[in-house]
Amino acid sequence: MANVYLSAQFPDKAQQMLTEAGLTVNSYDGKGLVDRETLAKNLETADYLITSLSTMVDADLIQAAPKLKLIANYGAGFNNIDVQAAKQRHIPVTNTPVVSTISTAELTVALILSTLRRVAEGDRLMRTTGFSGWAPRFFLGHELNQKTVGIIGMGGIGQAVATRLNAFGMHIIYTQRHPLANDQELALNATYVTMPELLSQSDVVTIHAPLTDNTHHLIDATAISQMKPSAVLINAARGPIIDEAALLKALQQHQIAGAALDVYENEPKVAEGYKALDNVTLTPHIGNATVEARDAMATIVAENVIAVEHGEQPKHIVNA
């Protein structure tokens, strides 16, 4: 009987599907993230690995897993896995794209609203000193209506964000390697621009690009210097796309008005300087943290394991 190792505590749906398929399931049940030693020991006998974005699976671990047939990553990203090392072993690596689109888009809108309307800042105020009463110029924020949002990366999530922000009356501009088809742009009411144009024109810059060699530190000191002083930066994509040291300095010096981060360059660590700033909203990588999205992700990883066990091709292979 094939052995599946779950490197984290996933939704019950995954284990239920695997067990019903006749597979033996072993799951990490410790506190926090699985440690390397525990992971390595379990990979000695595992036929399948289901792992989370927070667990690094490097070449040494892959080489030390003699029976491994599949690494099913529980997440749309896969930069935590050495996909080339897996490919050399003829081990497919899969991810869980698409099903996180709605949840991540909704969180992005929440972060934009929270930042422009100072929701998190207001919550902190009310939990500490409180306020003396309503006043005409007290705690002013900004409306989304008629503001320009610049979307970096107009894939599924970027398009879902655009659809939702259209309802707020925002002007949509975007940039990526290639523009969308004309009918897609019309449906989204979106205009393709260059990166410098997006940075200089946007009241809100939101990132929805994948992390690659080309997008690492895409938003650096130079890019931030091109933004409006009144603009805010949102990142619910991947932390290292932003040079966090450069962003922190810019926020401290009020080069831009604010930021909201759901992901971090050295995750799960957050630079202390950010915690001291009132104009920053920080959330703990909860872009797709909905029951609906996480159950859908669990279904995908379980179905991929079952497919390989039955001699079939899994879906969403990232190292084919």
Side-chain angles (χ1 to χ4, degrees):
M1 189 176 292
N3 185 355
V4 186
Y5 184 64
L6 280 58
S7 73
Q9 297 179 37
F10 297 105
D12 294 339
K13 191 177 187 71
Q15 187 157 338
Q16 179 183 346
M17 291 175 63
L18 295 166
T19 302
E20 289 176 353
L23 295 159
T24 299
V25 180
N26 296 302
S27 179
Y28 175 69
D29 58 2
K31 294 183 179 180
L33 302 179
V34 64
D35 59 272
R36 184 181 178 85
E37 182 180 355
T38 300
L39 181 58
K41 182 178 180 180
N42 281 276
L43 285 179
E44 291 176 2
T45 57
D47 296 282
Y48 303 98
L49 170 63
I50 297 178
T51 190
S52 67
L53 276 172
S54 55
T55 300
M56 299 302 298
V57 183
D58 59 26
D60 289 340
L61 285 171
I62 292 169
Q63 291 302 322
K67 299 174 61 181
L68 202 58
K69 301 175 185 176
L70 172 73
I71 302 172
N73 211 41
Y74 186 85
F78 47 88
N79 51 295
N80 58 309
I81 298 172
D82 190 329
V83 294
Q84 291 305 314
K87 185 174 182 178
Q88 290 172 6
R89 284 277 314 280
H90 304 288
I91 299 170
V93 176
T94 61
N95 67 340
T96 58
V98 182
V99 293
S100 298
T101 297
I102 292 174
S103 54
T104 305
E106 288 181 350
L107 180 76
T108 299
V109 175
L111 291 175
I112 292 171
L113 281 166
S114 178
T115 305
L116 291 185
R117 294 304 309 272
R118 303 172 66 182
V119 174
E121 186 182 352
D123 179 79
R124 289 192 295 272
L125 176 70
M126 294 306 295
R127 291 175 187 273
T128 52
T129 59
F131 77 123
S132 58
W134 188 93
R137 296 178 63 176
F138 175 67
F139 227 77
L140 298 180
H142 291 279
E143 296 179 0
L144 275 64
N145 185 47
Q146 298 303 307
K147 300 298 189 299
T148 296
V149 58
I151 300 175
I152 300 174
M154 197 62 123
I157 296 173
Q159 292 180 38
V161 170
T163 298
R164 285 152 179 78
L165 293 181
N166 267 308
F168 286 92
M170 296 195 80
H171 303 296
I172 313 294
I173 60 177
Y174 75 98
T175 194
Q176 58 184 9
R177 291 178 63 186
H178 304 290
L180 298 172
N182 288 338
D183 59 339
Q184 290 178 292
E185 288 190 340
L186 287 172
L188 295 167
N189 195 27
T191 302
Y192 179 80
V193 296
T194 65
M195 183 70 169
E197 288 173 330
L198 182 143
L199 293 170
S200 64
Q201 295 176 21
S202 298
D203 300 295
V204 177
V205 175
T206 180
I207 302 169
H208 301 288
L211 177 61
T212 66
D213 290 342
N214 290 330
T215 60
H216 182 269
H217 282 191
L218 177 69
I219 304 300
D220 56 10
T222 300
I224 294 168
S225 70
Q226 298 175 58
M227 294 174 61
K228 295 179 179 180
S230 58
V232 299
L233 178 64
I234 313 294
N235 190 11
R238 290 291 177 264
I241 294 176
I242 294 177
D243 180 341
E244 281 193 0
L247 175 59
L248 178 59
K249 183 177 180 180
L251 289 166
Q252 290 171 332
Q253 297 179 354
H254 302 288
Q255 288 181 257
I256 61 173
L261 306 176
D262 185 51
V263 290
Y264 305 92
E265 188 169 0
N266 298 300
E267 195 167 313
K269 295 180 180 179
V270 182
E272 286 298 324
Y274 282 96
K275 298 178 183 180
L277 297 175
D278 285 332
N279 60 342
V280 178
T281 299
L282 305 172
T283 52
H285 201 154
I286 55 173
N288 62 15
T290 62
V291 171
E292 296 83 358
R294 296 288 170 87
D295 276 353
M297 293 162 65
T299 298
I300 291 174
V301 294
E303 286 179 343
N304 278 339
V305 168
I306 294 167
V308 174
E309 180 65 9
H310 290 169
E312 301 169 359
Q313 182 93 331
K315 296 178 180 179
H316 312 303
I317 299 175
V318 301
N319 66 337

